Amino acid sequence: MFTGIIEEIGTVKAIKRAAKSITLEIVAQKVLEGTQVGDSICTNGVCLTVTSLGGGVFSADVMPQTMRMTSLGALKPGDKVNLERALTLESRLGGHIVSGHIDGTGKIVKREQDDTALWLHIEAPAHIMRYIIDKGSITVQGVSLTVAKATPSSFAVSLIPHTQNATTLHSAKVGDTVNLENDVIAKYVESFVNGNGNVNVNDDGNDKFNLYRDFMNRA
């Protein structure tokens, strides 16, 4: 689990390609402090398992399903990536709850500067837009952001100077594909409300109470 607050920008050193998967070698510093093989590092929003590390480099395997769901397959040596170590109980939750499990990709369709703010307008498929609301949370390339505007087919985020400087989003261009993760709480709430979470609803007139009770029991 992560927060969407990027710790550092890493650099892709090498990529080993198989038929449907790849192994990434990424140069980093801060995220390797205290990291061991088997730990998780969120890379451009994707939760990856460290398979080896040493000399300021870590390796991670990207499986076929992840290749299909994310933009990691388009990475090249020299590309910059957003990195974050897994959340600990001592960490501040400065962003929002991020799983590192990408829901799909979107495309940047507009970029504009508004004084010190950088606006990115991102087009996304319907299965992602259904969970996006004004002032809600969205993860873009692993970065926790607040939705500033939303339409049925796209949304916009406004990046403060710190976020521009601390992430790769400052170099995002129109046409770029970005990894998107919806707010996991929104997905759970929908599942419970629709009865997909095996919520017990009785005929005693207390349906709302029972829904709330069952939701809290699973929280």
Side-chain angles (χ1 to χ4, degrees), residues 110 112 114 119-123 129 132-136 138 145-158:
K110 185 178 181 181
E112 57 182 333
D114 182 14
W119 283 80
L120 296 178
H121 297 255
I122 301 171
E123 191 175 77
M129 290 304 307
I132 295 179
I133 61 172
D134 287 349
K135 308 306 182 243
I138 183 70
L145 298 171
T146 299
V147 176
K149 301 176 183 177
T151 73
S153 61
S154 67
F155 66 94
V157 290
S158 177

Side-chain angles (χ1 to χ4, degrees), residues 80-164:
K80 304 297 183 180
V81 289
N82 295 320
L83 301 175
E84 180 192 356
R85 287 169 293 186
L87 177 68
T88 70
L89 294 179
E90 296 179 349
S91 303
R92 290 186 173 90
L93 190 61
H96 69 285
I97 297 174
V98 175
S99 69
H101 303 154
I102 300 301
D103 291 298
T105 59
K107 180 180 290 186
I108 297 176
V109 294
K110 185 178 181 181
R111 171 193 169 115
E112 57 182 333
Q113 199 71 38
D114 182 14
D115 194 15
T116 61
L118 172 62
W119 283 80
L120 296 178
H121 297 255
I122 301 171
E123 191 175 77
H127 76 274
I128 290 177
M129 290 304 307
R130 68 185 295 171
Y131 300 109
I132 295 179
I133 61 172
D134 287 349
K135 308 306 182 243
S137 295
I138 183 70
T139 307
V140 180
Q141 294 290 82
V143 184
S144 172
L145 298 171
T146 299
V147 176
K149 301 176 183 177
T151 73
S153 61
S154 67
F155 66 94
V157 290
S158 177
L159 279 60
I160 64 173
H162 174 78
T163 303
Q164 296 174 48

Side-chain angles (χ1 to χ4, degrees), residues 7 29-41 50 52-53 58 85-86:
E7 293 188 276
Q29 293 182 352
K30 185 173 182 179
V31 298
L32 298 185
E33 296 174 2
T35 296
Q36 300 177 357
V37 171
D39 288 348
S40 297
I41 294 180
V50 175
S52 67
L53 72 164
F58 76 92
R85 287 169 293 186

